[in-house]
Amino acid sequence: MLSAPQAILFDLDGTLLDTAPDMAAALNRVRAEQGLEPMPFDEIRPHVSNGARGLLGIGLKITPDHDTYGPMRDRFLALYAEDLAVHTCLFPGLDALVDSLARRALPWGVVTNKPGELTRRLLEALEINPAVVVCGDDLKRAKPHPDPLLFAAGKLRLSPDTIWYIGDHERDIIAGNAAHMPTVAGRWGYLDGERPIETWGATVVIDRPEDIANLLARSAEPAASPDAVDAK
């Protein structure tokens, strides 16, 4: 059972925000410029958590060592930046959760591999104000290295083992475990299918964003005393 947290950190794409529609639109604009037909949204969605590298991999069949990768990545990010908050929104149930965290004075934040400029513009556009935001280019090493999570814990002035980290990709869980944070894997996210979510090593796997509130409620319940258990 998870202990009650002193803060909660979220991955961004696929965990806190449903950014897939706007990122898919940008990818298909790049494809159109290359004379390619649009890809179906359902084929793009599972790869959104892998960022520009993953999307260009499926959309243009190029990897970072390809000669055209740099220019294509820049073009994709430029197109995405033009319309990054058209359809993007909090996943269902997370608006109420964020409000409840504010009422309880429980700090929360975002740790993402998304570039800082895009992340902060997106949060500002959606009027979302986390206590701490750590992005993919803020430090030398991004997830799955634990540095971003440890940096966020330092910003919050909390011990990592008192902070829950919630993500939708195996790299989130690897980073959280390495930072000695309780980890929550969300099945509603952009699961890329590389490995089953149950094999990631998360402390808990949940199906819906609404389940976070249930975890919080259970974590706040007082543990039964040994005498009470023996008496049953």
Side-chain angles (χ1 to χ4, degrees), residues 150-167:
L150 296 173
F151 185 77
K155 286 282 189 180
L156 293 169
R157 299 185 178 182
L158 293 172
S159 174
D161 62 3
T162 67
I163 302 171
W164 292 1
Y165 186 49
I166 304 175

Side-chain angles (χ1 to χ4, degrees), residues 31-88:
R31 284 177 58 85
E33 291 179 351
Q34 300 301 308
L36 300 171
E37 294 293 323
M39 288 183 67
F41 176 73
D42 288 346
E43 291 183 18
I44 298 174
R45 187 184 187 275
H47 301 274
V48 168
S49 282
N50 292 318
R53 180 174 61 180
L55 292 175
L56 292 176
I58 63 160
L60 298 182
K61 308 301 182 186
I62 59 175
T63 57
D65 58 356
H66 196 278
D67 291 344
T68 63
Y69 179 82
M72 288 295 98
R73 179 182 184 275
D74 291 345
R75 184 58 179 156
F76 166 76
L77 292 177
L79 291 172
Y80 175 56
E82 290 179 5
D83 296 304
L84 83 173
V86 177
H87 299 292
T88 292

Side-chain angles (χ1 to χ4, degrees), residues 29-217:
R29 288 178 67 186
V30 172
R31 284 177 58 85
E33 291 179 351
Q34 300 301 308
L36 300 171
E37 294 293 323
M39 288 183 67
F41 176 73
D42 288 346
E43 291 183 18
I44 298 174
R45 187 184 187 275
H47 301 274
V48 168
S49 282
N50 292 318
R53 180 174 61 180
L55 292 175
L56 292 176
I58 63 160
L60 298 182
K61 308 301 182 186
I62 59 175
T63 57
D65 58 356
H66 196 278
D67 291 344
T68 63
Y69 179 82
M72 288 295 98
R73 179 182 184 275
D74 291 345
R75 184 58 179 156
F76 166 76
L77 292 177
L79 291 172
Y80 175 56
E82 290 179 5
D83 296 304
L84 83 173
V86 177
H87 299 292
T88 292
C89 60
L90 288 160
F91 277 99
L94 289 183
D95 49 353
L97 176 69
V98 167
D99 289 343
S100 73
L101 296 180
R103 290 193 301 271
R104 298 165 61 167
L106 186 66
W108 67 277
V110 168
V111 178
T112 176
N113 280 0
K114 200 181 194 78
E117 180 182 359
L118 294 175
T119 297
R120 293 180 172 90
R121 283 183 53 190
L122 181 56
L123 293 173
E124 181 179 0
L126 298 177
E127 299 182 345
I128 298 172
N129 300 295
V132 62
V133 178
V134 182
C135 304
D137 50 5
D138 286 346
L139 303 173
K140 290 183 179 179
R141 297 184 290 196
K143 298 178 298 181
H145 200 276
D147 279 2
L149 291 170
L150 296 173
F151 185 77
K155 286 282 189 180
L156 293 169
R157 299 185 178 182
L158 293 172
S159 174
D161 62 3
T162 67
I163 302 171
W164 292 1
Y165 186 49
I166 304 175
D168 73 310
H169 195 282
E170 188 171 10
R171 78 171 68 87
D172 300 323
I173 305 308
I174 292 171
N177 289 341
H180 302 291
M181 291 182 179
T183 51
V184 180
R187 204 186 299 273
W188 66 88
Y190 307 144
L191 308 186
D192 60 17
E194 289 188 7
R195 279 166 46 87
I197 193 171
E198 292 83 7
T199 68
W200 296 356
T203 310
V204 176
V205 177
I206 57 177
D207 295 326
R208 308 171 304 152
E210 294 91 333
D211 293 336
I212 301 170
N214 298 333
L215 284 179
L216 284 169

